[in-house]
Structure formats: C-alpha cells, structure tokens
Amino acid sequence: MTQRTRRGQGLWLTLVGSASVALALTSAAQSQGRIGVAELLPGIVWISTTPGVLALAQSLLLRRGHLDPAMIGVAALSVALIGMNGDEGNGRLLLGVLLALVVAVPFALLSSYLTLTAGRGYTVVSAVAVLLGADKLAPLIGVDEFTGVSAPLIRAMSGRELWLPTTAWVAAAVFVLVGVVRPVQEVRLREGNASGWVRPALLVFVPAFLLSVLAGLLDTANIQAVDPGGMSAEMAACLLVLTAGGCSLSTGEANVIDVAVGALFLGAFDTLLHVMMLPARQDLLLITAAAALFALIDLARLRPVPDDDPTPDPPSDPAPPSQAGNNGPTLPAS
C-alpha cells in the first residue's frame, strides 16, 4: 500500500494564521462600539483554551493512528467531579481535581486496551462506549445541569481582571510541556515492544486522558460554573482545531504548532460568530461544517511519499552457453 503525506504544511499554517488575523479584524469592525483587536484578543484566547487543550490531547492519539471521542466523556465527568467539590473552598476543589485524575486513569487503560488489542473496526465502538459510560456517570454523582462554582482558585484562574486570563497561561505552559516531552515519549515507544498495549497506554493514552481532565478544569474556570453536558459540543470545536491546523486525520501527522495555530483560528472564527449574534445551534453547525471542509482539504493535500532509496532492478541472468553465439573457436570434426 502506498504511503501518503501532507504537503505544504508551512504554507498552510501561514494561510490559516492570516485568516485568523482577518477574522479578528472583521470581528472588530462588526462589533458594537468598534472594539479594537487588542481588546478582542483575550476573548479569542479564552474561547480557544478548552478545545485547544482537548485537541492537543487528541493529537497525541492521532499520531498513534486514531482519535478517541472517549476523552470528551472523561472531560465531562471531570467537570462534574470538580464542580461537586468546588463550592466549598480550594481544599475540596483540589480533592475534586485529584478524584478526576484518578478516575481518568482506568478510562485511559480501558480505552487503550480495547483500541490496541481489538481490530480497527472496533475502535470507534469502544470509544463511544467509554464516552457514553462517562457521560452517564456525571448526573449520578449529584451535579445539576448547570451549577455555579465559588472556589477562590476557580475565580483566580478565570482572571477576568487580567488582560490575558490565567487559564491562557496554563494552556500555554501545557503546550510547551507537550512539545518538549512528546519527542522523548516517541523515542521510548520506538525503543520498546511495539506489539504490546501497556507501554503505549502509559506513555500516550494516560497523558492524553489527563489532559482532558485539565480541559475540564479550564472550562470550569472559564465559565465559573459546572455544565457537564456542555463538553459534548466541544468535540466539534476540537475537530476544527485539528483540521484547521493542518493535522492530517488520514496519516496521523500532527504537532504542537499545528494545534496552536488551529486553536487560534477557532477562537477568531467563534468570536466572529458571537459578534454576529448567531444562535448557539447555528454556531455549532457552522463550526462542524468548517471542520468537515478542512478535513476534505486535508485529503486533497495528501501526496504519495517518494521512495528515497528505490530498489535497483535485479541483474539480468547471463545467457546460457548454448546461446552465447558462434564467436568462439570451432572444434575440428573427427
């Protein structure tokens, strides 16, 4: 089977970055009171934080060959656990974060086991099963559909009095950390036993699911409330971050820079939709359509991988002596 790879990624990131700037300028021009781009930038970053971290987690798994929607369910479950313990001070809030981290580990191990040991046809089924299981657990732990969170740490993380919210700095630190750790992790995977599932689970799946817990915490801090059902809509935004950044869903090519550029594009695009005061359902529809469009563009960008060291043609067999011709000496007749 011929391998394929994405082409022109540098040019693609330049175009998407330019489109993000154009969307921000359009939002500033369309906004009431002619708000400047500098005033819109914190909002753009605020919108892109949660789906950006989720997309970063998905990109770790994408490089292993697939996406895992189960992480969205784990993020929703984390929101519920954090929110249930987040209305009685920082001590209970930290307990909720710890519980969310502990709960994410068995989900990560289960998802990795099903994915890496079952056939590819069962991957989506197992991921959706984990997603539904986590989503159904959220209401059972006693969290209302929308509950305010009053922990001081949550209020500090929102950073609404700051030019850039604290959540943005947390997300930026995570992007830098993943950018440093991921190459080391992939070297360890290549050096280990590629046929097992435990090593990829510990080096890839568990960190990815823990990032989904962080996304749940950042979402709670951004809205200063708990809305487990709201995380389900983040899947479309997460897909747009991946596809807008040029991450290839077909070949598994993705890195931190791709996700960062895609996250800023999502923030600028969603900001324009908010400025235009579109209904939430229409907003979600347009984000999903944009993700699908970029996925189709990704397919069009794929090209066959050139063979760097082509196999030389085998040498032709020498002609047998009987067919060598009559140039040699002729034996005298007896």
Side-chain angles (χ1 to χ4, degrees):
M1 183 176 180
T2 304
Q3 293 184 347
R4 298 184 300 169
T5 185
R6 59 183 181 176
R7 297 298 177 89
Q9 180 61 12
L11 177 60
W12 176 260
L13 292 178
T14 301
L15 292 175
V16 173
S18 302
S20 302
V21 174
L23 289 172
L25 293 174
T26 304
S27 300
Q30 294 290 332
S31 62
Q32 296 180 356
R34 302 287 180 173
I35 300 175
V37 176
E39 288 79 13
L40 281 179
L41 183 58
I44 292 173
V45 175
W46 179 82
I47 290 173
S48 62
T49 297
T50 299
V53 173
L54 281 173
L56 186 65
Q58 293 282 5
S59 70
L60 296 180
L61 301 185
L62 180 61
R63 294 178 68 89
R64 300 295 298 170
H66 79 291
L67 298 176
D68 198 335
M71 284 196 296
I72 304 297
V74 171
L77 181 60
S78 302
V79 167
L81 286 169
I82 293 168
M84 184 179 66
N85 295 279
D87 57 353
E88 298 183 21
N90 288 339
R92 287 290 298 274
L93 173 68
L94 294 177
L95 174 62
V97 174
L98 179 61
L99 288 174
L101 293 173
V102 169
V103 168
V105 172
F107 276 108
L109 295 177
L110 174 62
S111 184
S112 62
Y113 175 78
L114 293 174
T115 299
L116 298 176
T117 59
R120 183 173 294 272
Y122 294 96
T123 299
V124 175
V125 176
S126 64
V128 172
V130 176
L131 167 63
L132 294 177
D135 187 58
K136 295 303 179 184
L137 282 174
L140 297 179
I141 62 179
V143 177
D144 295 333
E145 183 176 353
F146 194 88
T147 305
V149 178
S150 58
L153 182 59
I154 286 291
R155 294 198 299 270
M157 287 184 65
S158 67
R160 299 197 175 186
E161 70 281 358
L162 302 177
W163 189 72
L164 282 178
T166 308
T167 53
W169 294 109
V170 173
V174 169
F175 270 73
V176 173
L177 179 64
V178 172
V180 172
V181 171
R182 184 186 56 76
V184 178
Q185 159 243 52
E186 293 189 343
V187 169
R188 290 178 179 175
L189 283 174
R190 286 195 295 267
E191 293 174 348
N193 181 13
S195 61
W197 69 273
V198 175
R199 191 176 183 89
L202 296 179
L203 291 178
V204 179
F205 280 80
V206 171
F209 274 71
L210 295 183
L211 281 178
S212 71
V213 175
L214 175 63
L217 176 63
L218 295 179
D219 183 72
T220 304
N222 277 340
I223 64 176
Q224 294 189 5
V226 178
D227 184 15
M231 292 302 299
S232 59
E234 296 291 348
M235 189 62 188
C238 174
L239 286 175
L240 179 55
V241 170
L242 292 171
T243 56
C247 302
S248 179
L249 305 184
S250 301
T251 63
E253 294 173 291
N255 58 45
V256 175
I257 301 300
D258 301 338
V259 178
V261 173
L264 291 178
F265 177 85
L266 166 73
F269 182 61
D270 206 9
T271 298
L272 177 61
L273 298 180
H274 281 94
V275 167
M276 296 175 64
M277 303 179 67
L278 297 178
R281 183 175 299 179
Q282 190 173 352
D283 190 335
L284 179 60
L285 179 62
L286 290 174
I287 288 177
T288 305
L293 175 62
F294 282 128
L296 293 176
I297 295 176
D298 168 58
L299 293 176
R301 292 172 59 208
L302 297 182
R303 296 292 184 272
V305 178
D307 193 351
D308 296 332
D309 190 15
T311 304
D313 295 333
S316 57
D317 294 333
S322 61
Q323 300 177 5
N326 298 322
N327 298 328
T330 304
L331 296 177
S334 58

